[in-house]
Amino acid sequence: MSNKGAFTEAIRFFAGKEILHPDKFYRLSAEARVKAFSVSHVTSLRVLKDLHAEVEKVLTDGGTLKGFQEAFNDILRNSGYAPANPRHIEIVFRQNIQTSYNVGRYAKQTERAELRPFWVYNSIDDSGTTPLCYELGGHGSRPAVCYRYDHPFWDKYYPPNHFG
């Protein structure tokens, strides 16, 4: 089964995000922030637009974190900003790529929900595993959880749940 539609939805979702100055972005509710794009410490809307375009390029054409970090810092340097901390750039990358991908994936899963009505939450077991992920299970001695697509669990825990 192809995920092409999921990627199309991911690109569409990200392209539709409103680009905002960080001050405006952080005044939004958590729900509203999902539909907006900003980068902490970047106050120029032109630079924010360039960074947004770089994320969209990765979604559209593919790319690596390393390549994104280089392009991100090139945009900053060319605009008079100091280079950003690699960890900060990684968070920008992961938040936007993962959220967009999962919005697209959710759209495709709900489209096919009658054919595949049960969804499994299976968290990753690595050095970044958080207490929430351990609680939800899917690794070690904790079994993955499985609920119908319309169960209230998914309203709260459909990935991604956190970053960094």
Side-chain angles (χ1 to χ4, degrees), residues 7-144:
F7 290 115
T8 301
E9 289 298 324
I11 294 163
R12 185 177 303 134
F13 168 77
F14 185 78
K17 284 187 167 220
E18 184 176 356
I19 300 168
L20 295 175
H21 186 280
D23 287 346
K24 287 184 179 179
F25 179 83
Y26 288 111
R27 285 190 293 231
L28 297 174
S29 69
E31 286 180 20
R33 285 184 198 171
V34 172
K35 296 177 182 174
F37 176 84
S38 192
V39 176
S40 294
H41 312 297
V42 177
T43 57
S44 164
L45 282 178
R46 184 186 57 75
V47 175
L48 287 168
K49 286 178 184 177
D50 291 346
L51 295 173
H52 181 277
E54 194 60 35
V55 174
E56 191 169 346
K57 180 179 169 193
V58 171
L59 282 167
T60 304
D61 301 336
T64 64
L65 171 60
K66 185 177 185 327
F68 180 76
Q69 287 172 321
E70 291 169 1
F72 190 102
N73 274 328
D74 286 347
I75 291 167
L76 293 181
R77 272 192 291 273
N78 291 337
S79 302
Y81 285 87
N85 178 305
R87 183 70 181 124
H88 176 70
I89 300 171
E90 182 177 357
I91 289 170
V92 170
F93 179 83
R94 291 193 189 284
Q95 282 180 338
N96 287 287
I97 300 297
Q98 289 176 354
T99 300
S100 298
Y101 176 74
N102 279 298
V103 164
R105 190 157 166 76
Y106 182 82
K108 286 318 228 181
Q109 284 182 285
T110 53
E111 185 179 291
R112 299 177 184 135
E114 292 305 318
L115 296 172
R116 295 182 175 182
F118 290 95
W119 297 353
V120 175
Y121 187 100
N122 195 1
S123 57
I124 296 171
D125 188 12
D126 63 13
S127 62
T129 304
T130 65
L132 172 66
C133 293
Y134 278 114
E135 180 183 323
L136 294 175
H139 48 78
S141 63
R142 304 250 336 171

